[in-house]
Amino acid sequence: YPRRVHGGPDWYQNTNWMSGDPCWDDWYGVVCINGHVVTVDLPHNNLNGTLPCFFGCLHSLKELYLMGNHIYGIIPPKLSELTCLSHLGLFNNRLEWTLPPELAELKSLVYMQVDHNQLVGTIPEVYGSMPALEELLLHNNKLEGTIPDGLWALENLNYMWLYNNKLEMLPPSWAQERFYSESELERTGRENRM
């Protein structure tokens, strides 16, 4: 666990980090079940640095919440090895580069919030093959290109916020049922935003 690399002494809360075992020694922001880390919850905690690949080694991890910190660099493709991951909260950091297509391998992922970063490139086509996905929040980045057709067919997808990017507008036929532009949001009262 890279406490020293990511400004651990400067974290707002760092109780017990780097002392013993994360589960048995009650590390701040870590939840364990049967000796396995299932949640890392360190939002708004002054973390500083790149997103470490070691998270990909926490095979029982279900929830990763690192929003509102100073994390920069790429989203490591190694996160795709977290087959139990259901919640990924990385919004309001300084993540850049592209969305890794490998994240589509996360078949249990329900919630993906990577908005308010500096992500570029396109939304990978394979994101349309994430059957459990209910919330996809990519707004306030620098994404461009078209929105993958497969996303519109995801049966469980309730929220997809894509505004404040450089994406091509969606065809009107797609907007009518579940997804609305920012200007339509007021009129409809729906939560989905283009």
Side-chain angles (χ1 to χ4, degrees):
Y1 296 88
R3 180 177 148 212
R4 289 185 197 103
V5 177
H6 291 84
D10 296 324
W11 293 2
Y12 300 133
Q13 292 286 333
N14 60 16
T15 304
N16 295 333
W17 273 76
M18 300 306 291
S19 62
D21 182 271
C23 295
W24 305 118
D25 293 311
D26 197 26
W27 287 13
Y28 173 80
V30 174
V31 176
C32 298
I33 296 177
N34 297 325
H36 297 283
V37 176
V38 294
T39 301
V40 174
D41 189 9
L42 297 169
H44 312 286
N45 201 35
N46 204 32
L47 278 67
N48 190 3
T50 58
L51 191 59
C53 291
F54 84 86
F55 281 117
C57 298
L58 298 173
H59 298 291
S60 298
L61 192 66
K62 294 181 180 182
E63 299 174 330
L64 178 59
Y65 301 114
L66 301 175
M67 54 280 230
N69 284 292
H70 308 286
I71 299 171
Y72 56 85
I74 68 168
I75 299 173
K78 189 163 178 68
L79 291 182
S80 66
E81 297 177 20
L82 299 173
T83 57
C84 296
L85 193 68
S86 63
H87 289 71
L88 179 62
L90 300 175
F91 72 91
N92 200 15
N93 278 291
R94 292 181 288 152
L95 294 167
E96 53 195 10
W97 203 243
T98 60
L99 289 165
E102 292 87 352
L103 293 184
E105 297 171 25
L106 298 171
K107 301 303 181 192
S108 298
L109 194 65
V110 172
Y111 173 88
M112 180 174 170
Q113 190 171 13
V114 294
D115 54 280
H116 290 87
N117 280 290
Q118 300 169 20
L119 298 169
V120 298
T122 61
I123 302 171
E125 287 284 334
V126 292
Y127 281 20
S129 64
M130 300 172 79
L133 197 62
E134 294 179 14
E135 296 185 24
L136 178 62
L137 307 181
L138 303 174
H139 54 289
N140 292 308
N141 279 293
K142 299 176 183 177
L143 300 170
E144 57 188 19
T146 60
I147 301 164
D149 289 338
L151 287 177
W152 309 111
L154 291 175
E155 291 183 16
N156 293 318
L157 191 63
N158 292 318
Y159 301 100
M160 180 166 60
W161 293 4
L162 305 172
Y163 59 91
N164 291 337
N165 280 293
K166 300 175 185 176
L167 295 164
E168 295 176 18
M169 292 301 290
L170 67 149
S173 62
W174 286 341
Q176 290 175 0
E177 294 200 21
R178 296 193 326 187
F179 304 100
Y180 294 84
S181 69
E182 191 72 13
S183 61
E184 291 175 308
L185 186 61
E186 257 183 63
R187 180 177 53 82
T188 63
R190 301 272 311 250
E191 288 292 327
N192 301 320
R193 301 182 188 187
M194 170 52 194

